Amino acid sequence: HVPRHIECFDISHGHGREVVASCVVFREGVPDKQSYRRFKMTHEQNDDFANMAEAVTRRYRRLRDEGKEFPNLVLIDGGLGQLHAAEAALKDLGLDHLELGSLAKKEELVFRPGSSEPLRIPKSSPVLQLLQRLRDEAHRFAITYHRNLRAKRTLQTELTTIPGIG
């Protein structure tokens, strides 16, 4: 079936600092920017797999607890490691029925749970182009948040630590 509601996750950090995740939402192939979410990870660590699991858990635990609509497809920016982390997170939440896939940047391969062979979608395919748009938008949204956090940290001086100044 055609996924009308797709959510895509990406992780961004600078050597394990200012670790953030993004979740972008497309409905009917169009960005739904009001539904975008960003997450500051609870532990600063250079572990994309753990961070991906945390982001997926936080997003879908909340949707589940609030009785909100789930996407038809969850797309992960990354390869098999990120996919397995997201798969484990969904399973822990009892949501392993959700369609899940990952898009690896280097060769633009699509990985699916339960299959060791990736899907090779032709580069001219509108399907691959939509998945790339989602992935690129998730990356843009995550890196923008990461850069904002990094800028706040690097603009600290002794004056900004004095209450009432800075």
Side-chain angles (χ1 to χ4, degrees):
H1 65 280
V2 176
R4 306 246 180 247
H5 173 184
I6 306 171
E7 297 189 357
C8 183
F9 290 83
D10 188 24
I11 305 293
S12 183
H13 59 85
H15 303 292
R17 296 190 68 179
E18 288 88 30
V19 183
V20 299
S22 68
C23 173
V24 300
V25 179
F26 277 37
R27 296 180 195 277
E28 303 293 336
V30 177
D32 178 6
K33 293 191 177 193
Q34 292 181 335
S35 298
Y36 284 18
R37 297 292 177 264
R38 60 188 190 189
F39 306 91
K40 186 173 182 185
M41 298 292 95
T42 57
H43 298 97
E44 293 216 344
Q45 56 186 347
N46 192 2
D47 183 347
D48 281 355
F49 306 147
N51 291 322
M52 185 60 72
E54 179 183 341
V56 168
T57 297
R58 287 170 61 184
R59 171 69 174 161
Y60 296 118
R61 178 186 296 137
R62 184 168 188 160
L63 288 183
R64 182 195 65 193
D65 293 351
E66 294 177 357
K68 297 211 173 151
E69 174 191 11
F70 290 104
N72 304 118
L73 173 64
V74 177
L75 184 65
I76 304 300
D77 179 11
L80 280 173
Q82 288 87 349
L83 177 69
H84 291 315
E87 182 181 25
L90 290 174
K91 185 175 183 177
D92 288 347
L93 292 169
L95 299 173
D96 48 339
H97 63 278
L98 293 178
E99 291 290 329
L100 178 64
S102 70
L103 181 60
K105 283 184 185 118
K106 193 172 189 179
E107 296 182 41
E108 305 292 11
L109 300 174
V110 177
F111 292 95
R112 301 274 327 264
S115 176
S116 60
E117 288 298 313
L119 296 172
R120 295 179 188 276
I121 302 173
K123 293 191 189 284
S124 61
S125 169
V127 171
L128 180 61
Q129 292 168 2
L130 175 62
L131 296 179
Q132 289 170 324
R133 279 186 53 220
L134 272 150
R135 190 256 333 266
D136 294 346
E137 180 67 357
H139 182 73
R140 181 201 64 78
F141 194 58
I143 202 155
T144 299
Y145 184 40
H146 165 76
R147 286 177 178 158
N148 288 340
L149 291 178
R150 185 182 66 206
K152 285 180 185 178
R153 177 181 53 89
T154 58
L155 290 177
Q156 295 292 324
T157 68
E158 289 183 33
L159 291 176
T160 60
T161 62
I162 300 171
I165 298 180

